[in-house]
Short mmCIF file of all heavy atoms in Angstrom, two decimals:
data_model
loop_
_atom_site.label_atom_id
_atom_site.label_comp_id
_atom_site.label_asym_id
_atom_site.label_seq_id
_atom_site.Cartn_x
_atom_site.Cartn_y
_atom_site.Cartn_z
N MET E 254 0.85 -1.16 0.00
CA MET E 254 0.00 0.00 0.00
C MET E 254 0.90 1.24 0.00
O MET E 254 1.84 1.35 0.76
CB MET E 254 -0.90 0.00 1.24
CG MET E 254 -1.67 1.27 1.38
SD MET E 254 -2.92 1.35 2.68
CE MET E 254 -2.23 0.55 4.06
N THR E 255 0.59 2.18 -0.83
CA THR E 255 1.31 3.44 -0.93
C THR E 255 0.52 4.51 -0.20
O THR E 255 -0.69 4.59 -0.32
CB THR E 255 1.48 3.86 -2.40
OG1 THR E 255 2.14 2.79 -3.09
CG2 THR E 255 2.30 5.12 -2.50
N GLN E 256 1.24 5.35 0.55
CA GLN E 256 0.58 6.43 1.28
C GLN E 256 1.03 7.76 0.71
O GLN E 256 2.18 7.93 0.30
CB GLN E 256 0.92 6.38 2.76
CG GLN E 256 0.30 5.21 3.47
CD GLN E 256 0.53 5.27 4.97
OE1 GLN E 256 1.38 5.99 5.46
NE2 GLN E 256 -0.24 4.51 5.71
N LEU E 257 0.11 8.71 0.74
CA LEU E 257 0.37 10.06 0.26
C LEU E 257 -0.13 11.04 1.31
O LEU E 257 -1.27 10.94 1.76
CB LEU E 257 -0.38 10.30 -1.07
CG LEU E 257 -0.35 11.71 -1.64
CD1 LEU E 257 1.06 12.08 -2.05
CD2 LEU E 257 -1.29 11.81 -2.82
N THR E 258 0.72 11.95 1.73
CA THR E 258 0.34 12.96 2.71
C THR E 258 0.09 14.28 2.00
O THR E 258 0.91 14.72 1.21
CB THR E 258 1.46 13.14 3.76
OG1 THR E 258 1.72 11.88 4.38
CG2 THR E 258 1.06 14.15 4.81
N ILE E 259 -1.05 14.88 2.30
CA ILE E 259 -1.43 16.15 1.67
C ILE E 259 -1.62 17.19 2.77
O ILE E 259 -2.35 16.96 3.73
CB ILE E 259 -2.75 16.00 0.86
CG1 ILE E 259 -2.59 14.94 -0.21
CG2 ILE E 259 -3.16 17.33 0.27
CD1 ILE E 259 -3.89 14.60 -0.92
N ASN E 260 -0.99 18.32 2.60
CA ASN E 260 -1.17 19.45 3.53
C ASN E 260 -2.13 20.44 2.89
O ASN E 260 -1.92 20.88 1.77
CB ASN E 260 0.16 20.13 3.82
CG ASN E 260 1.11 19.21 4.54
OD1 ASN E 260 0.73 18.47 5.43
ND2 ASN E 260 2.37 19.25 4.15
N ILE E 261 -3.18 20.79 3.64
CA ILE E 261 -4.22 21.67 3.13
C ILE E 261 -4.26 22.93 3.99
O ILE E 261 -4.45 22.85 5.20
CB ILE E 261 -5.59 20.98 3.13
CG1 ILE E 261 -5.51 19.71 2.29
CG2 ILE E 261 -6.67 21.91 2.62
CD1 ILE E 261 -6.69 18.81 2.44
N GLU E 262 -4.09 24.08 3.37
CA GLU E 262 -4.11 25.34 4.11
C GLU E 262 -5.54 25.85 4.30
O GLU E 262 -5.87 26.37 5.35
CB GLU E 262 -3.27 26.39 3.39
CG GLU E 262 -1.78 26.09 3.41
CD GLU E 262 -0.95 27.15 2.74
OE1 GLU E 262 -1.44 28.29 2.56
OE2 GLU E 262 0.19 26.84 2.39
N ASP E 263 -6.38 25.71 3.29
CA ASP E 263 -7.75 26.20 3.35
C ASP E 263 -8.67 25.06 3.81
O ASP E 263 -9.01 24.17 3.03
CB ASP E 263 -8.17 26.73 1.98
CG ASP E 263 -9.55 27.35 1.98
OD1 ASP E 263 -10.18 27.45 3.05
OD2 ASP E 263 -10.00 27.73 0.88
N LYS E 264 -9.09 25.08 5.07
CA LYS E 264 -9.91 24.00 5.62
C LYS E 264 -11.30 23.92 5.01
O LYS E 264 -11.97 22.90 5.14
CB LYS E 264 -10.03 24.16 7.14
CG LYS E 264 -8.74 23.88 7.87
CD LYS E 264 -8.96 23.92 9.37
CE LYS E 264 -7.66 23.61 10.10
NZ LYS E 264 -7.84 23.57 11.54
N SER E 265 -11.74 24.97 4.34
CA SER E 265 -13.09 24.97 3.77
C SER E 265 -13.22 23.98 2.61
O SER E 265 -14.32 23.54 2.30
CB SER E 265 -13.48 26.36 3.31
OG SER E 265 -12.67 26.79 2.23
N ILE E 266 -12.13 23.60 1.96
CA ILE E 266 -12.21 22.65 0.85
C ILE E 266 -12.10 21.20 1.31
O ILE E 266 -12.30 20.28 0.52
CB ILE E 266 -11.12 22.93 -0.21
CG1 ILE E 266 -9.72 22.68 0.34
CG2 ILE E 266 -11.24 24.33 -0.76
CD1 ILE E 266 -8.63 22.65 -0.71
N LEU E 267 -11.81 21.00 2.59
CA LEU E 267 -11.61 19.64 3.10
C LEU E 267 -12.82 18.72 2.89
O LEU E 267 -12.64 17.59 2.43
CB LEU E 267 -11.22 19.70 4.58
CG LEU E 267 -10.70 18.43 5.20
CD1 LEU E 267 -9.50 17.90 4.45
CD2 LEU E 267 -10.34 18.65 6.65
N PRO E 268 -14.05 19.13 3.19
CA PRO E 268 -15.18 18.22 2.95
C PRO E 268 -15.32 17.81 1.48
O PRO E 268 -15.62 16.65 1.18
CB PRO E 268 -16.41 19.02 3.40
CG PRO E 268 -15.88 20.08 4.31
CD PRO E 268 -14.49 20.37 3.83
N HIS E 269 -15.08 18.75 0.57
CA HIS E 269 -15.18 18.44 -0.87
C HIS E 269 -14.09 17.46 -1.29
O HIS E 269 -14.34 16.52 -2.05
CB HIS E 269 -15.07 19.72 -1.70
CG HIS E 269 -16.07 20.77 -1.31
ND1 HIS E 269 -17.42 20.64 -1.52
CD2 HIS E 269 -15.90 21.97 -0.69
CE1 HIS E 269 -18.05 21.70 -1.07
NE2 HIS E 269 -17.15 22.53 -0.55
N LEU E 270 -12.89 17.69 -0.77
CA LEU E 270 -11.77 16.81 -1.10
C LEU E 270 -12.02 15.39 -0.57
O LEU E 270 -11.73 14.40 -1.26
CB LEU E 270 -10.47 17.37 -0.54
CG LEU E 270 -9.19 16.62 -0.86
CD1 LEU E 270 -8.98 16.51 -2.36
CD2 LEU E 270 -8.00 17.29 -0.20
N LYS E 271 -12.57 15.29 0.64
CA LYS E 271 -12.88 13.97 1.21
C LYS E 271 -13.90 13.23 0.37
O LYS E 271 -13.77 12.02 0.14
CB LYS E 271 -13.39 14.12 2.65
CG LYS E 271 -12.30 14.40 3.65
CD LYS E 271 -12.86 14.45 5.06
CE LYS E 271 -11.77 14.65 6.08
NZ LYS E 271 -12.28 14.66 7.46
N LYS E 272 -14.94 13.93 -0.12
CA LYS E 272 -15.95 13.30 -0.97
C LYS E 272 -15.31 12.77 -2.26
O LYS E 272 -15.62 11.66 -2.71
CB LYS E 272 -17.05 14.29 -1.32
CG LYS E 272 -18.02 14.53 -0.20
CD LYS E 272 -19.13 15.47 -0.64
CE LYS E 272 -20.07 15.79 0.49
NZ LYS E 272 -21.12 16.72 0.11
N ILE E 273 -14.44 13.56 -2.85
CA ILE E 273 -13.78 13.15 -4.09
C ILE E 273 -12.91 11.92 -3.85
O ILE E 273 -12.96 10.95 -4.62
CB ILE E 273 -12.94 14.30 -4.67
CG1 ILE E 273 -13.85 15.44 -5.13
CG2 ILE E 273 -12.05 13.82 -5.80
CD1 ILE E 273 -13.13 16.73 -5.46
N LEU E 274 -12.13 11.94 -2.78
CA LEU E 274 -11.23 10.81 -2.51
C LEU E 274 -12.00 9.55 -2.15
O LEU E 274 -11.62 8.44 -2.53
CB LEU E 274 -10.26 11.18 -1.38
CG LEU E 274 -9.22 12.24 -1.74
CD1 LEU E 274 -8.40 12.62 -0.52
CD2 LEU E 274 -8.32 11.77 -2.87
N ASN E 275 -13.10 9.69 -1.41
CA ASN E 275 -13.91 8.52 -1.06
C ASN E 275 -14.59 7.92 -2.28
O ASN E 275 -14.91 6.73 -2.29
CB ASN E 275 -14.96 8.89 0.00
CG ASN E 275 -14.35 8.99 1.39
OD1 ASN E 275 -13.40 8.28 1.71
ND2 ASN E 275 -14.89 9.88 2.21
N ALA E 276 -14.83 8.71 -3.32
CA ALA E 276 -15.46 8.21 -4.54
C ALA E 276 -14.51 7.34 -5.35
O ALA E 276 -14.95 6.54 -6.18
CB ALA E 276 -15.96 9.37 -5.38
N LEU E 277 -13.22 7.50 -5.14
CA LEU E 277 -12.23 6.71 -5.89
C LEU E 277 -12.11 5.32 -5.28
O LEU E 277 -11.94 5.18 -4.07
CB LEU E 277 -10.87 7.41 -5.89
CG LEU E 277 -10.80 8.77 -6.55
CD1 LEU E 277 -9.44 9.40 -6.30
CD2 LEU E 277 -11.07 8.64 -8.03
N GLU E 278 -12.17 4.31 -6.12
CA GLU E 278 -12.06 2.93 -5.64
C GLU E 278 -10.62 2.65 -5.21
O GLU E 278 -9.66 3.01 -5.89
CB GLU E 278 -12.46 1.96 -6.76
CG GLU E 278 -12.58 0.54 -6.29
CD GLU E 278 -13.12 -0.37 -7.37
OE1 GLU E 278 -13.93 0.10 -8.19
OE2 GLU E 278 -12.71 -1.53 -7.40
N GLY E 279 -10.47 2.04 -4.04
CA GLY E 279 -9.14 1.69 -3.54
C GLY E 279 -8.46 2.80 -2.75
O GLY E 279 -7.32 2.64 -2.33
N VAL E 280 -9.15 3.90 -2.53
CA VAL E 280 -8.58 5.01 -1.77
C VAL E 280 -9.31 5.10 -0.44
O VAL E 280 -10.53 5.07 -0.38
CB VAL E 280 -8.72 6.35 -2.54
CG1 VAL E 280 -8.22 7.51 -1.69
CG2 VAL E 280 -7.97 6.29 -3.85
N SER E 281 -8.55 5.18 0.63
CA SER E 281 -9.14 5.35 1.96
C SER E 281 -8.45 6.52 2.66
O SER E 281 -7.32 6.88 2.34
CB SER E 281 -8.99 4.07 2.79
OG SER E 281 -7.62 3.80 3.01
N ILE E 282 -9.15 7.10 3.62
CA ILE E 282 -8.62 8.24 4.36
C ILE E 282 -8.29 7.76 5.77
O ILE E 282 -9.16 7.28 6.50
CB ILE E 282 -9.63 9.40 4.42
CG1 ILE E 282 -9.94 9.87 2.99
CG2 ILE E 282 -9.10 10.53 5.27
CD1 ILE E 282 -11.04 10.91 2.91
N ALA E 283 -7.01 7.87 6.14
CA ALA E 283 -6.57 7.45 7.47
C ALA E 283 -6.77 8.60 8.44
O ALA E 283 -6.60 9.77 8.11
CB ALA E 283 -5.10 7.06 7.43
N LYS E 284 -7.15 8.26 9.66
CA LYS E 284 -7.32 9.28 10.69
C LYS E 284 -5.94 9.70 11.19
O LYS E 284 -5.03 8.88 11.29
CB LYS E 284 -8.15 8.74 11.84
CG LYS E 284 -9.56 8.39 11.42
CD LYS E 284 -10.44 8.13 12.61
CE LYS E 284 -11.79 7.64 12.14
NZ LYS E 284 -12.83 8.58 12.27
N PRO E 285 -5.78 10.98 11.49
CA PRO E 285 -4.48 11.44 11.97
C PRO E 285 -4.15 10.84 13.34
O PRO E 285 -5.04 10.64 14.17
CB PRO E 285 -4.63 12.96 12.08
CG PRO E 285 -6.09 13.22 12.10
CD PRO E 285 -6.74 12.07 11.41
N ILE E 286 -2.88 10.56 13.53
CA ILE E 286 -2.41 10.01 14.79
C ILE E 286 -2.16 11.18 15.75
O ILE E 286 -1.43 12.11 15.42
CB ILE E 286 -1.11 9.20 14.60
CG1 ILE E 286 -1.37 8.04 13.66
CG2 ILE E 286 -0.58 8.71 15.94
CD1 ILE E 286 -0.12 7.30 13.24
N ARG E 287 -2.79 11.12 16.90
CA ARG E 287 -2.63 12.19 17.88
C ARG E 287 -1.45 11.88 18.79
O ARG E 287 -1.33 10.77 19.31
CB ARG E 287 -3.89 12.36 18.70
CG ARG E 287 -5.03 12.84 17.84
CD ARG E 287 -6.06 13.54 18.64
NE ARG E 287 -7.04 14.10 17.72
CZ ARG E 287 -8.27 14.36 18.03
NH1 ARG E 287 -8.69 14.12 19.24
NH2 ARG E 287 -9.09 14.87 17.15
N LYS E 288 -0.60 12.87 18.94
CA LYS E 288 0.58 12.71 19.77
C LYS E 288 0.18 12.85 21.24
O LYS E 288 -0.57 13.76 21.60
CB LYS E 288 1.59 13.81 19.40
CG LYS E 288 2.88 13.74 20.13
CD LYS E 288 3.79 14.85 19.66
CE LYS E 288 4.21 15.67 20.85
NZ LYS E 288 5.02 16.81 20.53
N LYS E 289 0.68 11.94 22.09
CA LYS E 289 0.40 12.03 23.51
C LYS E 289 1.13 13.24 24.08
O LYS E 289 2.27 13.53 23.71
CB LYS E 289 0.88 10.79 24.23
CG LYS E 289 -0.07 9.64 24.20
CD LYS E 289 0.41 8.56 25.14
CE LYS E 289 -0.73 7.66 25.52
NZ LYS E 289 -0.31 6.64 26.48
N LYS E 290 0.48 13.93 24.99
CA LYS E 290 1.10 15.09 25.62
C LYS E 290 2.07 14.63 26.70
O LYS E 290 1.74 13.76 27.52
CB LYS E 290 0.04 15.99 26.24
CG LYS E 290 -0.82 16.68 25.23
CD LYS E 290 -1.78 17.62 25.89
CE LYS E 290 -2.68 18.26 24.86
NZ LYS E 290 -3.66 19.14 25.47
N THR E 291 3.24 15.22 26.70
CA THR E 291 4.23 14.92 27.73
C THR E 291 3.93 15.79 28.94
O THR E 291 3.12 16.72 28.89
CB THR E 291 5.65 15.22 27.23
OG1 THR E 291 5.76 16.63 26.96
CG2 THR E 291 5.97 14.43 25.96
N GLY E 292 4.61 15.53 30.03
CA GLY E 292 4.46 16.34 31.22
C GLY E 292 4.83 17.79 30.96
O GLY E 292 4.20 18.72 31.49
N LEU E 293 5.85 18.00 30.14
CA LEU E 293 6.27 19.36 29.81
C LEU E 293 5.18 20.08 29.02
O LEU E 293 4.89 21.25 29.28
CB LEU E 293 7.57 19.34 29.01
CG LEU E 293 8.09 20.69 28.54
CD1 LEU E 293 8.35 21.61 29.73
CD2 LEU E 293 9.34 20.53 27.70
N ASP E 294 4.56 19.38 28.06
CA ASP E 294 3.47 19.99 27.29
C ASP E 294 2.32 20.42 28.20
O ASP E 294 1.77 21.50 28.07
CB ASP E 294 2.93 19.02 26.23
CG ASP E 294 3.95 18.72 25.14
OD1 ASP E 294 4.78 19.59 24.85
OD2 ASP E 294 3.89 17.60 24.58
N LYS E 295 1.97 19.55 29.16
CA LYS E 295 0.89 19.87 30.10
C LYS E 295 1.27 21.05 30.98
O LYS E 295 0.44 21.91 31.27
CB LYS E 295 0.56 18.65 30.94
CG LYS E 295 -0.08 17.52 30.16
CD LYS E 295 -0.31 16.31 31.04
CE LYS E 295 -0.87 15.14 30.25
NZ LYS E 295 -1.04 13.95 31.09
N ALA E 296 2.52 21.08 31.43
CA ALA E 296 2.98 22.18 32.28
C ALA E 296 2.95 23.50 31.53
O ALA E 296 2.54 24.53 32.08
CB ALA E 296 4.39 21.89 32.79
N LEU E 297 3.36 23.49 30.27
CA LEU E 297 3.33 24.71 29.47
C LEU E 297 1.89 25.19 29.25
O LEU E 297 1.62 26.40 29.25
CB LEU E 297 4.03 24.49 28.13
CG LEU E 297 5.55 24.30 28.21
CD1 LEU E 297 6.11 23.91 26.85
CD2 LEU E 297 6.23 25.55 28.73
N GLU E 298 0.96 24.26 29.09
CA GLU E 298 -0.45 24.64 28.97
C GLU E 298 -0.95 25.26 30.27
O GLU E 298 -1.73 26.22 30.24
CB GLU E 298 -1.29 23.41 28.62
CG GLU E 298 -1.16 22.97 27.19
CD GLU E 298 -2.00 21.74 26.89
OE1 GLU E 298 -2.70 21.23 27.80
OE2 GLU E 298 -1.97 21.29 25.74
N ASP E 299 -0.52 24.71 31.42
CA ASP E 299 -0.90 25.29 32.71
C ASP E 299 -0.41 26.73 32.83
O ASP E 299 -1.13 27.61 33.30
CB ASP E 299 -0.34 24.46 33.87
CG ASP E 299 -1.09 23.15 34.07
OD1 ASP E 299 -2.23 23.04 33.59
OD2 ASP E 299 -0.53 22.25 34.72
N ILE E 300 0.82 26.98 32.39
CA ILE E 300 1.37 28.33 32.45
C ILE E 300 0.56 29.26 31.56
O ILE E 300 0.18 30.36 31.98
CB ILE E 300 2.85 28.33 32.04
CG1 ILE E 300 3.69 27.61 33.09
CG2 ILE E 300 3.37 29.75 31.83
CD1 ILE E 300 5.12 27.33 32.68
N GLU E 301 0.25 28.83 30.34
CA GLU E 301 -0.51 29.66 29.41
C GLU E 301 -1.91 29.96 29.94
O GLU E 301 -2.45 31.04 29.73
CB GLU E 301 -0.62 28.98 28.05
CG GLU E 301 0.68 28.97 27.28
CD GLU E 301 0.58 28.21 25.96
OE1 GLU E 301 -0.55 27.89 25.54
OE2 GLU E 301 1.63 27.95 25.36
N ALA E 302 -2.51 28.99 30.65
CA ALA E 302 -3.87 29.17 31.18
C ALA E 302 -3.88 29.89 32.52
O ALA E 302 -4.94 30.18 33.05
CB ALA E 302 -4.55 27.80 31.31
N GLY E 303 -2.70 30.15 33.08
CA GLY E 303 -2.62 30.86 34.35
C GLY E 303 -2.88 30.00 35.56
O GLY E 303 -3.24 30.49 36.62
N ARG E 304 -2.69 28.70 35.44
CA ARG E 304 -2.92 27.79 36.56
C ARG E 304 -1.61 27.53 37.33
O ARG E 304 -1.23 26.38 37.58
CB ARG E 304 -3.49 26.47 36.06
CG ARG E 304 -4.87 26.60 35.45
CD ARG E 304 -5.45 25.24 35.06
NE ARG E 304 -4.68 24.57 34.04
CZ ARG E 304 -5.01 24.50 32.76
NH1 ARG E 304 -6.12 25.08 32.33
NH2 ARG E 304 -4.26 23.85 31.90
N VAL E 305 -0.91 28.59 37.68
CA VAL E 305 0.35 28.47 38.42
C VAL E 305 0.36 29.50 39.55
O VAL E 305 -0.36 30.50 39.50
CB VAL E 305 1.57 28.68 37.51
CG1 VAL E 305 1.70 27.58 36.48
CG2 VAL E 305 1.51 30.03 36.83
N LYS E 306 1.15 29.24 40.56
CA LYS E 306 1.36 30.18 41.66
C LYS E 306 2.84 30.48 41.74
O LYS E 306 3.68 29.61 41.49
CB LYS E 306 0.91 29.59 43.00
CG LYS E 306 -0.57 29.48 43.17
CD LYS E 306 -0.88 29.03 44.59
CE LYS E 306 -2.35 28.97 44.85
NZ LYS E 306 -2.64 28.55 46.22
N ARG E 307 3.16 31.70 42.11
CA ARG E 307 4.56 32.10 42.31
C ARG E 307 4.73 32.47 43.77
O ARG E 307 3.86 33.09 44.38
CB ARG E 307 4.91 33.27 41.41
CG ARG E 307 4.90 32.90 39.95
CD ARG E 307 5.45 34.05 39.11
NE ARG E 307 5.40 33.71 37.71
CZ ARG E 307 6.42 33.19 37.03
NH1 ARG E 307 7.55 32.96 37.62
NH2 ARG E 307 6.29 32.91 35.75
N TYR E 308 5.88 32.12 44.32
CA TYR E 308 6.20 32.43 45.70
C TYR E 308 7.52 33.19 45.75
O TYR E 308 8.43 32.95 44.95
CB TYR E 308 6.31 31.14 46.52
CG TYR E 308 5.00 30.40 46.61
CD1 TYR E 308 4.70 29.35 45.74
CD2 TYR E 308 4.05 30.75 47.55
CE1 TYR E 308 3.49 28.68 45.81
CE2 TYR E 308 2.83 30.10 47.64
CZ TYR E 308 2.57 29.06 46.76
OH TYR E 308 1.37 28.40 46.84
N GLU E 309 7.60 34.10 46.70
CA GLU E 309 8.81 34.90 46.88
C GLU E 309 9.95 34.06 47.42
O GLU E 309 11.12 34.32 47.13
CB GLU E 309 8.54 36.08 47.82
CG GLU E 309 7.55 37.09 47.26
CD GLU E 309 8.10 37.82 46.05
OE1 GLU E 309 9.30 38.10 46.01
OE2 GLU E 309 7.30 38.08 45.12
N SER E 310 9.61 33.06 48.22
CA SER E 310 10.65 32.23 48.83
C SER E 310 10.08 30.84 49.12
O SER E 310 8.87 30.62 49.06
CB SER E 310 11.14 32.87 50.14
OG SER E 310 10.08 32.87 51.09
N SER E 311 10.98 29.93 49.47
CA SER E 311 10.53 28.58 49.82
C SER E 311 9.73 28.61 51.12
O SER E 311 8.80 27.83 51.30
CB SER E 311 11.72 27.64 49.94
OG SER E 311 12.64 28.12 50.91
N GLU E 312 10.08 29.54 52.03
CA GLU E 312 9.32 29.67 53.26
C GLU E 312 7.86 30.04 52.99
O GLU E 312 6.93 29.53 53.62
CB GLU E 312 9.96 30.72 54.19
CG GLU E 312 11.28 30.28 54.81
CD GLU E 312 12.47 30.53 53.90
OE1 GLU E 312 12.34 31.28 52.92
OE2 GLU E 312 13.52 29.94 54.17
N ALA E 313 7.64 30.94 52.03
CA ALA E 313 6.28 31.33 51.67
C ALA E 313 5.51 30.15 51.08
O ALA E 313 4.32 29.97 51.35
CB ALA E 313 6.32 32.48 50.67
N LEU E 314 6.20 29.32 50.30
CA LEU E 314 5.58 28.12 49.73
C LEU E 314 5.17 27.16 50.84
O LEU E 314 4.03 26.70 50.87
CB LEU E 314 6.54 27.43 48.76
CG LEU E 314 6.16 26.02 48.31
CD1 LEU E 314 4.88 26.06 47.48
CD2 LEU E 314 7.28 25.37 47.55
N PHE E 315 6.09 26.89 51.76
CA PHE E 315 5.79 25.96 52.84
C PHE E 315 4.67 26.50 53.73
O PHE E 315 3.84 25.75 54.23
CB PHE E 315 7.04 25.66 53.66
CG PHE E 315 8.08 24.88 52.89
CD1 PHE E 315 9.42 25.22 52.96
CD2 PHE E 315 7.73 23.81 52.07
CE1 PHE E 315 10.37 24.51 52.26
CE2 PHE E 315 8.66 23.09 51.37
CZ PHE E 315 9.99 23.45 51.46
N LYS E 316 4.64 27.81 53.96
CA LYS E 316 3.59 28.42 54.78
C LYS E 316 2.24 28.23 54.09
O LYS E 316 1.24 27.89 54.75
CB LYS E 316 3.88 29.89 54.98
CG LYS E 316 2.90 30.57 55.90
CD LYS E 316 3.27 32.02 56.12
CE LYS E 316 2.26 32.70 57.05
NZ LYS E 316 2.56 34.10 57.25
N ASP E 317 2.18 28.42 52.77
CA ASP E 317 0.94 28.22 52.03
C ASP E 317 0.49 26.77 52.08
O ASP E 317 -0.71 26.48 52.09
CB ASP E 317 1.12 28.69 50.58
CG ASP E 317 -0.18 28.71 49.81
OD1 ASP E 317 -1.19 29.21 50.35
OD2 ASP E 317 -0.20 28.21 48.66
N LEU E 318 1.44 25.84 52.08
CA LEU E 318 1.12 24.41 52.14
C LEU E 318 0.77 23.95 53.55
O LEU E 318 0.30 22.83 53.74
CB LEU E 318 2.30 23.58 51.61
CG LEU E 318 2.62 23.75 50.12
CD1 LEU E 318 3.90 23.00 49.78
CD2 LEU E 318 1.48 23.24 49.28
N GLY E 319 1.05 24.81 54.55
CA GLY E 319 0.74 24.45 55.92
C GLY E 319 1.81 23.57 56.55
O GLY E 319 1.55 22.83 57.49
N ILE E 320 3.01 23.66 56.04
CA ILE E 320 4.12 22.84 56.56
C ILE E 320 4.97 23.68 57.49
O ILE E 320 5.35 24.77 57.22
CB ILE E 320 4.99 22.28 55.42
CG1 ILE E 320 4.13 21.38 54.54
CG2 ILE E 320 6.18 21.53 55.97
CD1 ILE E 320 4.85 20.84 53.32
#
């Protein structure tokens, strides 16, 4: 089986292209493989979403934690 990867900039033509490709005998459309998020990816998303706290010192951190 031969595979061909196509990059499409204009998403509005995607449904039409899928109909055309599905009409061709022997052509199938593979679903994209989703990459698992690493811990770093999740941490960067937390930073972007503002789900982080900053402390002036380790003492302030421990005080907030109740230690």
